[in-house]
Amino acid sequence: MAVLSQPVAPASWREPDGIAPRGTLVLIPGRGEQPVLYTRFGRRIAGDGYRVHVVADATQDAGLTAAQVSDLLADAASPAPRVLAGSDTGALFAAGLAARGQVPAVDALVLAG
């Protein structure tokens, strides 16, 4: 029997009401990590005025992850600067996206391994 998994939707946190947004951070998690793992991080950074999005694990579906990253960074509603971050294998994937020019809307990279 084949098990079909549902695509993982990005987890998102916004800046508090009344706080002007300071930028957008899109994070690619490491191998086997789900976006919900970054809840504490997302809330903390959002509390400082950033919009935070954590996308799907690229080792599960690289095409989905690339599409999510591109859509979030290219969204006109995403305040600049737009930062792409990656953890572990997510950092390697983020570096590859940037090197191939697949995320032209990105202003900075944060790679943690």
Side-chain angles (χ1 to χ4, degrees):
M1 165 170 30
V3 176
L4 300 176
S5 60
Q6 296 287 341
V8 176
S12 298
W13 297 270
R14 292 181 63 99
E15 69 280 359
D17 289 338
I19 302 289
R22 298 174 69 185
T24 302
L25 176 84
V26 177
L27 176 81
I28 304 172
R31 177 183 26 248
E33 295 178 339
Q34 296 297 317
V36 71
L37 176 67
Y38 290 89
T39 299
R40 183 175 175 204
F41 173 81
R43 287 180 182 157
R44 173 64 185 90
I45 300 301
D48 285 338
Y50 294 90
R51 294 194 184 155
V52 181
H53 307 283
V54 181
V55 299
D57 171 5
T59 65
Q60 297 298 312
D61 188 339
L64 173 65
T65 301
Q68 289 176 339
V69 168
S70 294
D71 290 349
L72 290 165
L73 290 174
D75 184 353
S78 295
R82 295 175 180 99
V83 178
L84 177 59
S87 171
D88 185 37
T89 55
L92 186 60
F93 192 76
L97 288 175
R100 290 187 299 274
Q102 291 180 268
V103 285
V106 72
D107 296 308
L109 286 174
V110 176
L111 307 174

